[in-house]
Amino acid sequence: MADLAEFAAAARRLAEAVAELDRQADGLELTPAAKRPWHETLHGKLLPQLPGPGGGGAFLVVAVVGGTNIGKSLIFNHLAGFPASSSSKFASGTKHPTCLAPAGFSQSHRLEDIFPGFVPTKIDEQDPDAALRADDRDLLFWAESDAVPDNLLLLDTPDVDADAPVNWERAAKIRTAADVLLAVVTEQKYNDAAVVRFFREAGGKEVHGADAAVVVVFNQVHLPEDDQYWPSWVGTFAERTGIDPDLLFLAPHDRDAAKDLRLPFHPRPWPPGESEPEAQARGTAGGESLRTALSELHFDEVKLRTLSGAVDRLASPEDGVSAWLAEVREAAARFAAAGEHLMDELTDSKAKWPPVPAAALVEEVRDWWRGRRTGATRRVADAYTVVGGLIAQPFRALRGPKPPPLEGYAKEELALFRRAVERLFGQLERLRESDPILAPRLAATLGGASRADLLERLRTDHAACDLEGELAAVVRTEMDALLTNNPRAGRWLRVLDGAAVMGRPALTVGLLGTGVIGTELAAAGVTVVADTLVGGAAAAAGEAAGAGAGSLAMRVNAKLARIERRFADRRRAWLERWVRDALLGPLVSDVAHAAALPDSEAFAAVGEALSELQRASGGRAPAAEASRTPERTGG
């Protein structure tokens, strides 16, 4: 049983991986895994019939199947050794399957798991004909018997050629769960269209991977008269259904023996060989030969054979797990395309961002540098600041209160944001009409807010932004990086600033106010500020500093331009976050999550588990290809 234990462990891992991916793929709008045929194979065939931790051992499911009025229930009773299943002389007699289990089976197994969709109903000895009555429920009548070997479940099934389609459906469900099909046919039924169709599916011509062992019982044969005919009958049945019988028995037409459960079952070779008088004469009354034949089947071989057939169904590239993975990948690609479309609308790359006022930018750089002065330079600069403030006080009084440095910028930025949101709202409405992936999600998103409400919220949230604090943070980050990455530039700044502060007090007080950087030059623009402050300081430090000062001015100019870009990036990111929170909600993250599923651990786990299960069954393992993300080509 070591092989079956390995098989069972692999099946459980696949079930866990499928459940996780199915949960994560819920937003892809695909048919859920539980509603796919291969899911029933996994949960209705593999898992219930394999040994599990804490569960019972493995067993073979033997189902007696066939058409109406062929003695199917009588043969089942021969196997049981007693009248376990009621029979009827009327067509479509058996309407519900009857299961005979070994003693104590129900203590370690659940019939509702082995036969999903059925309602197990214990046989009432006072009502033996319950299986013959119609019921909208799919009932499974069952009993336990010491006559059944510990590793077998015996089932009688509804007639497959009945007028009621539900009989076929119930028999087909049992066929899916069966390891051995005991096919009962007669001279009247071996070529019947419904019977042939049922067994053709069992033989694998229409159901991929169906691989149950098949024992054919040709019933109601007149021997020895029919010896010349039965090979042709069985040959036609085998050819039309695609079944190659594992065992073949002939049962004579004998009403009295059938009634007393004394029918002999004569084994015959298939394909028919040379005449075997002893084998043809052999046959034990009462069904013992059938039970013996079933008990002599190689248990592990038959079980692994049928389970391997189930794995083939699971791995089918047309409608198995591999096909499901391909669907997930295709749906994720559609979501990725929709996500790119959506993200294209979030940012208006053509919009011209308002420039940061030079005065505000220089003021922040000056504040950053003030905190880095030390010693005498700091003391003198602070003194000049006080003196400069006293000198400028009368002019400030005449000029009135100075407006916030970023007041004008804030108005321009809000106007830009309003245009962007209005444009985005219109674009999303158009996407709702044209994009099948986004349409239902955008309908819910756009239905909850009007443009006026959104714009008012934008105004309120924008007013709460600390623009000066954000600009100061960007200045600190960028200027600190300048000093860290360019220690020489830092030394030059200190030399030039010290020279300007200590050597040129008139220039410092009158023009620059606090040394190397002054706000009054800001009106001329950032580049003029950098060139003037560095050049003026260099003149104060002496001509020897000229070459270094020129290089430093270029670095400062580049750094100030970079600060503007970084500040604009930061504000653009704020707008994107606001749009996602106020307008789109979880839409962006949901679409992104769906698009990334083929690269997720859950997706890879399903492919790996399926490959492992195929290896355990002795089959090929192509499933890993389905779970592998193809390499991207091009840009």
Side-chain angles (χ1 to χ4, degrees), residues 192-512:
D192 178 86
V195 173
V196 167
R197 177 188 164 208
F198 184 88
F199 286 106
R200 183 167 60 240
E201 292 183 0
K205 285 188 176 180
E206 293 183 359
V207 176
H208 179 83
D211 205 12
V214 179
V215 176
V216 174
V217 175
F218 211 104
N219 195 25
Q220 301 174 5
V221 179
H222 295 274
L223 296 175
E225 294 87 349
D226 288 339
D227 275 336
Q228 59 181 320
Y229 302 115
W230 70 257
S232 175
W233 297 338
V234 176
T236 299
F237 175 75
E239 180 180 358
R240 293 199 62 194
T241 60
I243 284 176
D244 184 17
D246 293 84
L247 296 172
L248 172 64
F249 291 87
L250 305 181
H253 189 282
D254 188 334
R255 291 181 182 273
D256 293 336
K259 182 179 180 180
D260 297 336
L261 301 183
R262 295 184 293 102
L263 272 178
F265 294 89
H266 304 288
R268 292 291 186 269
W270 188 262
E274 296 180 359
S275 176
E276 299 180 23
E278 294 183 3
Q280 293 178 8
R282 192 168 59 243
T284 306
E288 286 86 349
S289 58
L290 268 182
R291 286 197 298 272
T292 300
L294 292 175
S295 66
E296 290 178 350
L297 288 173
H298 295 287
F299 180 90
D300 281 4
E301 179 182 336
V302 172
K303 194 69 182 179
L304 284 173
R305 169 180 162 183
T306 57
L307 294 179
S308 295
V311 172
D312 288 343
R313 291 195 292 276
L314 280 176
S316 168
E318 289 82 21
D319 56 6
V321 176
S322 298
W324 178 55
L325 291 177
E327 284 186 44
V328 170
R329 186 186 298 284
E330 292 171 2
R334 292 194 297 271
F335 269 75
E340 290 177 3
H341 200 175
L342 180 62
M343 291 306 297
D344 286 343
E345 305 303 336
L346 286 182
T347 303
D348 184 4
S349 58
K350 298 179 181 179
K352 185 177 180 180
W353 214 263
V356 177
L361 180 56
V362 169
E363 182 72 21
E364 292 297 344
V365 175
R366 185 183 68 178
D367 288 345
W368 165 80
W369 183 252
R370 180 185 296 118
R372 282 153 183 78
R373 286 191 174 117
T374 59
T377 302
R378 181 171 185 172
R379 290 192 298 273
V380 173
D382 289 345
Y384 290 161
T385 299
V386 174
V387 174
L390 293 173
I391 295 173
Q393 188 172 2
F395 299 99
R396 294 197 189 101
L398 292 174
R399 186 176 56 198
K402 187 177 181 180
L406 293 179
E407 182 179 63
Y409 173 86
K411 292 179 180 179
E412 290 187 57
E413 184 183 80
L414 178 59
L416 173 67
F417 285 6
R418 286 175 61 92
R419 291 193 300 271
V421 169
E422 288 179 331
R423 171 184 166 278
L424 176 61
F425 202 100
Q427 291 291 87
L428 293 180
E429 287 181 330
R430 285 188 285 275
L431 280 179
R432 180 173 59 179
E433 301 298 327
S434 62
D435 193 305
I437 296 293
L438 298 176
R441 294 163 175 81
L442 288 175
T445 296
L446 298 178
S450 68
R451 295 195 188 201
D453 294 337
L454 282 172
L455 294 176
E456 176 58 25
R457 177 174 175 180
L458 174 63
R459 186 194 65 78
T460 303
D461 292 346
H462 185 267
C465 292
D466 182 10
L467 296 179
E468 294 182 30
E470 290 191 41
L471 180 59
V474 174
V475 167
R476 285 195 303 272
T477 300
E478 294 298 326
M479 296 305 291
D480 285 347
L482 175 66
L483 297 186
T484 300
N485 299 331
N486 263 291
R488 185 178 179 184
R491 290 193 296 270
W492 268 112
L493 277 175
R494 293 190 184 280
V495 169
L496 296 174
D497 185 48
V501 171
M502 306 300 291
R504 297 290 297 273
L507 178 63
T508 301
V509 175
L511 277 179
L512 303 181

